[in-house]
């Protein structure tokens, strides 16, 4: 369904690829980096680097190099036969990323890994000399966008990858800044690991049933409920048998899904019986009306007090001004403490 031109150069007819894309029913195009993060984790990477480049972005990771035959034809992993060594399954993440990327109309995707070269030109053969990315960690993929908003599209895709990163044992950095894998804070949550399943339990502020956040090879997939936990408790979960649908944003509720839920609930009950579950409440970083209103109200009241004092006793304006300065300084200090507490994960720092 596509034209192979020379070794390591895979030229894709755009119309045929759109047809393939529609049959695979892919999801959010700006999430195309998520399959490539999973590709890195499946390759045994210990370090992944994402960065913006002129009119595009790059991903670099170490670990096992990509196989030459999948570099020459990235979509063979989707349409070819399964192999005994699982290489087709690993390289499927490369193809899924390319399929999700297509609606963003990239000019080219360049790659280099283990001496093999990748070149995908969705708009057809441009007869342009593309500069290959230097594989400083072993494998490198570069996406080149078209149009005035190329940098904006690259930034949005990097942000999606940053937000989706979670349960993984390798390091991720975006534009040189490390992105920490999710860890429950001491006293708030507990990590767990059982055969074929791993994750963490933590308590939310709202005392309701919470869906689990499911991850696959380090990247978020969706929220579902494989395990029913007590009200107020939530879970982040990664399990080996997770099978997503073609959009990569939902999971099949098969026997592996049910088994993962049973294993997670078993770990929760065990940790609860041993008294190892944190008793604190996870307060996600977020703006709140209560905190913002309290700070602004303090500033308004202090200014009103100064204005009223100046009107009633002009001769004491200097004293009112001093009180206003002290009050304003206190409000600014309150705002600073509120901001620091928010950055540390408290939803509303004004609550105990």
């Amino acid at each position: 369904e596509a034209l192979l031109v020379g070794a390591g150069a895979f030229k894709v007819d755009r119309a045929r690829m759109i047809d393939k894309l529609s049959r695979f029913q892919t999801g959010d195009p700006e999430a195309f980096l998520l399959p490539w993060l999973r590709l890195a984790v499946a390759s045994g990477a210990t370090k992944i680097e994402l960065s913006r480049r002129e009119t595009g972005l790059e991903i670099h990771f170490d670990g096992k190099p990509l196989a030459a035959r999948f570099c020459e034809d990235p979509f063979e992993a989707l349409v070819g036969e399964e192999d005994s060594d699982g290489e087709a399954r690993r390289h499927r993440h490369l193809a899924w990323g390319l399929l999700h990327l297509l609606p963003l109309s990239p000019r080219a995707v360049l790659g280099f890994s283990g001496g093999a070269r990748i070149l995908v030109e969705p708009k057809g053969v441009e007869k342009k000399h593309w500069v290959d990315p230097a594989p400083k960690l072993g494998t490198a993929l570069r996406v080149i966008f078209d149009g005035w908003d190329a940098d904006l599209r690259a930034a949005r895709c990097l942000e999606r990858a940053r937000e989706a990163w979670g349960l993984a044992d390798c390091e991720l950095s975006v534009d040189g800044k490390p992105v920490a894998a999710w860890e429950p804070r001491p006293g708030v949550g507990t990590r767990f690991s059982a055969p074929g399943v791993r994750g963490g339990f933590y308590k939310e502020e709202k005392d309701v049933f919470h869906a689990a956040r499911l991850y696959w090879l380090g990247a978020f997939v969706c929220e579902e409920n494989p395990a029913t936990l007590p009200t107020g408790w939530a879970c982040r979960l990664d399990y080996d048998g997770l099978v997503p649908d073609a959009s990569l944003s939902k999971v099949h509720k098969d026997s592996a899904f049910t088994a993962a839920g049973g294993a997670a609930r078993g770990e929760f009950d065990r940790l609860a019986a041993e008294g190892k579950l944190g008793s604190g409440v996870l307060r996600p970083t977020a703006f709140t009306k209560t905190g913002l209103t309290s700070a602004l109200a303090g500033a308004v009241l202090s200014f009103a007090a100064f204005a009223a004092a100046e009107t009633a006793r002009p001769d004491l304006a200097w004293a009112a001004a001093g009180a206003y300065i002290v009050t304003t300084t206190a409000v600014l200090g309150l705002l600073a403490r509120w901001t620091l507490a928010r950055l540390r994960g408290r939803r509303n720092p004004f609550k105990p």
Side-chain angles (χ1 to χ4, degrees):
E1 294 196 12
L3 175 64
L4 180 63
V5 182
F10 189 67
K11 313 297 183 179
V12 182
D13 179 83
R14 181 177 172 82
R16 293 178 184 174
M17 271 305 304
I18 290 177
D19 176 65
K20 183 184 288 289
L21 181 67
S22 65
R23 287 189 282 112
F24 273 90
Q25 301 176 4
T26 55
D28 181 8
E30 291 183 352
F32 79 90
L33 282 171
L34 273 59
W36 290 357
L37 291 177
R38 297 180 185 118
L39 170 65
V41 174
S43 300
T46 60
K47 189 173 184 180
I48 308 172
E49 294 182 0
L50 294 172
S51 58
R52 266 181 289 184
R53 291 292 181 263
E54 185 177 357
T55 68
L57 57 84
E58 287 186 3
I59 177 172
H60 296 257
F61 57 88
D62 58 2
K64 188 176 182 180
L66 304 182
R69 66 188 179 100
F70 293 110
C71 291
E72 294 179 354
D73 182 354
F75 300 102
E76 182 187 344
L78 294 177
V79 299
E81 296 181 356
E82 291 287 348
D83 45 24
S84 58
D85 57 5
E87 283 296 272
R89 187 182 309 112
R90 177 169 73 102
H91 288 82
R92 210 164 282 153
H93 299 289
L94 172 63
W96 275 330
L98 291 170
L99 287 175
H100 278 71
L101 173 62
L102 183 62
L104 297 181
S105 302
R107 290 188 65 185
V109 178
L110 313 171
F112 203 87
S113 180
R117 183 175 183 244
I118 301 171
L119 173 57
V120 178
E121 294 179 311
K123 295 187 176 182
V125 181
E126 296 193 25
K127 296 182 179 179
K128 180 178 177 63
H129 175 68
W130 301 108
V131 178
D132 291 333
K136 54 184 177 180
L137 293 179
T139 297
L141 295 168
R142 173 184 295 165
V143 178
I144 300 174
F145 290 118
D146 224 351
W148 61 270
D149 62 340
D151 292 338
L152 181 61
R153 275 182 286 169
R156 288 200 302 261
C157 294
L158 291 177
E159 187 59 29
R160 285 298 312 276
R162 189 202 311 271
E163 293 173 350
W165 186 243
L167 302 174
D169 294 326
C170 63
E171 300 176 4
L172 172 69
S173 65
V174 178
D175 286 331
K177 298 178 181 178
V179 180
W182 183 84
E183 287 284 350
R185 295 197 313 277
V188 171
T190 305
R191 283 291 292 263
F192 69 91
S193 181
V197 62
R198 68 205 66 83
F201 301 114
Y202 56 95
K203 199 133 196 281
E204 289 275 15
E205 281 188 295
K206 293 184 178 180
D207 195 24
V208 298
F209 288 105
H210 296 279
R213 290 179 60 84
L214 301 183
Y215 290 77
W216 186 29
L217 295 173
F220 176 71
V221 179
C222 65
E223 291 189 353
E224 274 293 352
N225 247 334
T228 302
L229 302 179
T231 57
W233 283 94
C235 170
R236 300 196 182 201
L237 184 65
D238 188 331
Y239 63 97
D240 295 342
L242 185 148
V243 179
D245 66 1
S247 71
L248 304 185
S249 59
K250 295 180 181 179
V251 297
H252 292 293
K253 297 180 181 180
D254 53 11
S255 58
F257 179 86
T258 303
R265 182 58 201 247
E267 283 296 297
F268 181 89
D269 293 339
R270 180 184 66 80
L271 292 170
E274 295 175 0
K276 294 182 179 179
L277 289 175
S279 58
V281 176
L282 181 69
R283 303 179 188 272
T285 300
F287 288 101
T288 60
K289 291 181 180 179
T290 305
L292 187 59
T293 301
S294 300
L296 291 178
V300 171
L301 288 174
S302 65
F303 179 76
F306 166 64
E310 187 181 29
T311 302
R313 293 290 302 273
D315 56 319
L316 295 180
W318 59 272
Y324 173 61
I325 291 174
V326 171
T327 306
T328 302
T329 302
V331 171
L332 291 175
L334 186 64
L335 283 170
R337 293 198 305 274
W338 178 64
T339 301
L340 288 174
R342 271 204 335 102
L343 293 174
R344 291 170 183 155
R346 292 288 301 278
R347 182 184 295 276
N348 188 348
F350 291 98
K351 290 184 179 179

